[in-house]
Amino acid sequence: MTGLFVLFIYVGIFVGAYLIVTRVIHPAAAKDYTSLKTVTFGDESAVRPNRWAGVISILTIFLIWGMFTGSTLLPKFLHAPAPFEGTLEFTYTAEAAGARDDATVTVIVHPREIDTDAPEVDPGDGFAKNDSATIAQWRTGLVRVDSNDEITKSDGAQVVAINGTPIAPGETVAIDNGTVTLSDKGTPNVAPSRGWQMEPLYLPPPEDVWTRTFTVINEGFRSFTLWEHLGYSLFRVVAGFLLGALVGIPLGYAMGLSNWFRGWFDPIVEFMRPVPPLALIPLVIIWFGIGETGKIILLFLAALWIMAIAARSGVSGVNISKVHAAYSLGASKWQIMRHVIMPNSLPEIFTGARVAMGVCWGTVVAAELVAAEQGAGMMIMVASRFQNTDIVILGIILIGVIGFGIDMLMRYAERLLVPWKGKA
């Protein structure tokens, strides 16, 4: 239910922002016959990201994050329903030897980080006595209602109703701000309403992650600074990617230019391409150990097949008319390779490089599981063991930001080095 509500919010903001930006802020110009003839399909350079859409998209993610974590950065009217905090009560009916008696249970629901004592209550008359208990938010608790009764469960007493509603073991009765479920042994299990907000243990609010960021920057994590962790991850990714490119690009060229090389290496490349790098970790440990070599080899294998396929596709996709034109002008095979095949294959290679770098960044977390003492992946995994979700989210955000920055640099380099991309 909550996930569906989040989806509705996201879709609603997307549609609303689109209508406001395109109809109010930047209304589309009238389209005449000439503009309608313009075709941009297949030319990536003709489609530019709308900056308004990018900014609103990021703000929407943070808005939803703050709404469902009760962030103090948002006004309270934007918060999703919070878990219940306060006092809830229910009346249980106990039956013993054909007689029935009612008693009231008072439950204090408190924040997890605050210890609270159960209040004293008047036990009342009859063999069923009033009782009290405490339960932390987002938690449930068994209430031994017979612990102070005159006739206990061992004497044959049993709970037969909650707030007047008959109940049997395994059944649930709704009460104000929660539910009561009778366990298989007849003990009421109280579950206060959890609302729609995420528990901080699983998803802390943005300000907690921001605060932890400065703590890690100032104090470090596991004897290394944040910059050292990121530096080690960046070095491993770049080293693995460069090795994969140095081997994969010549291999792809050879497969694209030679029937023999294509026949020899194509089964190997096509076999290894769908194998996830994570599946290779056991072999990498056995063959190369748990040092830096094993991590870089794993990233090398993650990039190798992508770069080989990209280079092969780039060579195979060269317009044959350009090759024939070069031959008709008296060009040698090396000149055709240098001035026709290589320039026209670079767009595919750059696209493959961006994909390979993304895969390497995705693999570095697994690579740093192999007895790493530094790295963003190691930081994430160690934090997850101690349920430091804020550090986990911090590491994920940093990996994403650095990966996005590298992708932007590669796109910029592509625009400088391959200005003919998308052009005949």
Side-chain angles (χ1 to χ4, degrees), residues 140-218:
T140 63
L142 289 170
V143 181
R144 295 292 305 274
V145 293
D146 68 327
S147 60
N148 62 346
D149 289 351
E150 292 180 357
I151 304 177
T152 66
K153 196 160 44 175
S154 59
D155 299 323
Q158 59 181 344
V159 176
V160 295
I162 299 293
N163 286 349
T165 302
I167 191 172
E171 295 181 348
T172 300
V173 172
I175 62 174
D176 291 340
N177 302 309
T179 60
V180 176
T181 301
L182 205 62
S183 72
D184 293 339
K185 295 185 178 180
T187 303
N189 186 27
V190 182
S193 173
R194 297 189 177 189
W196 287 4
Q197 292 185 16
M198 291 288 291
E199 185 178 355
L201 177 65
Y202 304 113
L203 182 64
E207 60 269 23
D208 287 0
V209 178
W210 181 256
T211 302
R212 181 56 70 97
T213 300
F214 284 99
T215 301
V216 174
I217 290 175
N218 295 328

Side-chain angles (χ1 to χ4, degrees), residues 236-419:
R236 291 163 182 155
V237 168
V238 172
F241 167 76
L242 290 179
L243 288 175
L246 288 174
V247 177
I249 293 175
L251 177 61
Y253 273 135
M255 293 172 63
L257 296 171
S258 169
N259 291 335
W260 176 260
F261 277 92
R262 182 70 172 266
W264 187 275
F265 289 105
D266 199 58
I268 300 173
V269 172
E270 293 300 333
F271 174 80
M272 292 300 301
R273 180 182 59 83
V275 176
L278 302 184
L280 302 176
I281 289 180
L283 282 179
V284 169
I285 295 176
I286 294 171
W287 291 347
F288 303 101
I290 60 176
E292 289 297 318
T293 302
K295 300 176 183 61
I296 294 176
I297 289 295
L298 182 63
L299 296 171
F300 158 75
L301 293 174
L304 172 62
W305 317 115
I306 299 175
M307 296 306 300
I309 291 173
R312 184 191 69 187
S313 178
V315 173
S316 302
V318 174
N319 194 330
I320 192 64
S321 62
K322 296 181 179 180
V323 177
H324 291 164
Y327 271 125
S328 67
L329 294 175
S332 64
K333 287 186 177 181
W334 167 247
Q335 288 174 322
I336 292 175
M337 181 71 180
R338 168 68 179 82
H339 297 287
V340 178
I341 294 178
M342 291 181 64
N344 285 277
S345 63
L346 282 179
E348 289 282 353
I349 291 176
F350 268 98
T351 300
R354 287 166 50 192
V355 174
M357 182 60 76
V359 173
C360 285
W361 269 111
T363 307
V364 72
V365 175
E368 290 171 348
L369 287 176
V370 186
E373 296 182 357
Q374 317 88 4
M378 168 269 177
M379 186 171 68
I380 290 173
M381 299 313 300
V382 171
S384 68
R385 295 193 191 109
F386 295 95
Q387 296 185 328
N388 294 326
T389 314
D390 46 4
I391 295 182
V392 174
I393 294 176
L394 168 61
I396 293 172
I397 291 175
L398 290 175
I399 288 177
V401 168
I402 294 175
F404 180 76
I406 293 176
D407 187 74
M408 290 297 100
L409 288 175
M410 295 181 70
R411 290 190 185 190
Y412 179 72
E414 184 179 25
R415 287 196 297 269
L416 293 179
L417 300 176
V418 195

